[in-house]
């Protein structure tokens, strides 16, 4: 990829996280990626992110675009020259903006599917739903900010979860070229998350019994970020043959 320096603001980012049987999720990962395991569980999830002011670095802010986006993610690690790296593998991306769809697989990693987003949010409550144009993917989450942390989470606290996901800034996606995975890094100028109390969550991906047999994936926790300046940076392409060597 020839990705220019892209700047903008994360207007709102919801991370809905699932704990998943590591053996089940390993079957969904290509080489060289392997699941990160936290207290016996792999971590999957959905990133629902609204971006604004997205533009090349030297362009004025008024030229930036605004979009709603969803990414299904799996927390992974891989070896790079004898060094273990951490990040996320992103099997699917959805967006409501035509520029993102056009750039997906060209300037940005991964195909971006056309999707419709319905958003209803205030300071005290959020509801976001997404349905892809081809009908193959849909999700919905309703939540409210909370100071409490769910007792059932694999993470002992919000701070532990925050640190874990901050380390997952590097994301790799499949390409149309067999065995090639393109990457992008999210570089935030600040990192601040808040816990969310989830009232309702549905995901056609994590509820697909062909991928996740009953009992192998369940909701774990959710986090919220707002008003974070950031930059996207391209990462070296990972090729399976090279990784195996």
């Amino acid at each position: 990829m020839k990705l220019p320096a892209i700047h903008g603001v994360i207007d709102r980012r919801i991370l809905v996280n699932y704990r998943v049987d590591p053996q089940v999720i390993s079957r969904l990962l290509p080489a060289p990626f392997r699941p990160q395991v936290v207290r016996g569980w792999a971590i999957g999830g959905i990133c629902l992110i609204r971006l604004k002011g997205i533009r090349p670095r030297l362009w004025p802010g008024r030229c930036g675009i605004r979009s709603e986006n969803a990414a299904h993610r799996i927390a992974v690690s891989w070896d790079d020259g004898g060094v273990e790296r951490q990040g996320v593998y992103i099997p699917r991306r959805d967006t409501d903006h035509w520029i993102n769809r056009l750039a997906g697989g060209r300037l940005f990693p991964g195909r971006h599917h056309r999707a419709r987003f319905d958003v209803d949010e205030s300071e005290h409550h959020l509801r976001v739903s997404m349905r892809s144009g081809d009908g193959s993917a849909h999700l919905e989450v309703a939540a409210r900010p909370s100071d409490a942390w769910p007792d059932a989470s694999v993470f002992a606290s919000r701070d532990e979860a925050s640190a874990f996901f901050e380390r997952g800034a590097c994301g790799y996606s499949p390409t149309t070229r067999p065995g090639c995975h393109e990457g992008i890094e999210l570089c935030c100028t600040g990192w601040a998350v808040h816990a969310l109390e989830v009232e309702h969550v549905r995901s056609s991906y994590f509820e697909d019994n062909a991928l996740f047999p009953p009992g192998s994936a369940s909701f774990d926790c959710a986090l919220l970020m707002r008003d974070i300046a950031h930059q996207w940076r391209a990462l070296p392409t990972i090729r399976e043959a090279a990784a195996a060597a």
Side-chain angles (χ1 to χ4, degrees):
M1 291 189 306
K2 295 182 178 180
L3 178 68
I6 299 295
H7 288 239
V9 173
I10 297 173
D11 193 28
R12 181 262 298 136
R13 186 188 193 198
I14 301 172
L15 294 175
V16 181
N17 308 303
Y18 287 75
R19 51 184 179 271
V20 187
D21 184 323
Q23 292 186 349
V24 170
I25 215 164
S26 291
R27 297 196 292 264
L28 306 178
L29 293 173
F33 303 107
R34 56 185 179 269
Q36 292 190 57
V37 177
V38 179
R39 297 184 175 92
W41 292 96
I43 306 298
I46 308 156
C47 173
L48 292 163
I49 186 168
R50 182 170 62 230
L51 302 172
K52 66 180 183 181
I54 301 300
R55 65 202 187 278
R57 181 173 60 87
L58 297 179
W59 289 23
R62 65 179 180 274
C63 297
I65 68 170
R66 177 186 177 98
S67 64
E68 288 279 358
N69 309 273
H72 289 79
R73 304 149 31 105
I74 300 168
V76 296
S77 60
W78 66 96
D79 294 326
D80 178 12
V83 177
E84 184 180 62
R85 305 294 186 187
Q86 296 179 336
V88 292
Y89 182 74
I90 305 170
R92 183 181 177 97
R93 297 177 182 270
D94 292 270
T95 183
D96 70 350
H97 204 290
W98 66 271
I99 289 181
N100 293 348
R101 298 197 303 273
L102 180 65
R106 298 177 177 89
L107 291 177
F108 295 98
R111 177 186 176 190
H112 288 58
H113 300 265
R114 179 174 63 87
R116 175 180 176 178
F117 290 78
D118 291 314
V119 180
D120 181 12
E121 64 180 281
S122 67
E123 181 181 354
H124 304 292
H125 193 264
L126 304 98
R127 186 191 66 81
V128 181
S129 64
M130 183 277 291
R131 182 170 293 273
S132 64
D134 60 10
S136 65
H138 56 86
L139 60 89
E140 182 176 10
V141 60
R144 62 181 68 250
S146 174
D147 293 329
W149 187 251
D151 293 335
S153 174
V154 300
F155 299 102
S157 66
R158 183 200 64 184
D159 289 344
E160 183 183 50
S162 173
F164 178 86
F165 292 108
E166 186 175 11
R167 293 193 298 269
C170 297
Y172 276 89
S173 300
T175 71
T176 56
R177 296 171 292 163
C180 290
H181 312 287
E182 291 177 338
I184 193 169
E185 182 180 10
L186 173 61
C187 304
C188 297
T189 57
W191 182 269
V193 302
H194 304 277
L196 285 175
E197 177 185 347
V198 172
E199 303 166 346
H200 169 76
V201 61
R202 296 295 305 271
S203 164
S204 60
Y205 183 72
F206 288 102
E207 294 172 14
D208 184 347
N209 288 340
L211 299 176
F212 302 96
S216 64
S218 57
F219 170 75
D220 185 85
C221 64
L223 297 167
L224 172 67
M225 301 174 68
R226 290 192 186 275
D227 298 320
I228 305 293
H230 71 285
Q231 177 180 339
W232 300 102
R233 297 176 184 171
L235 295 170
T237 297
I238 291 178
R239 294 174 172 82
E240 290 184 22

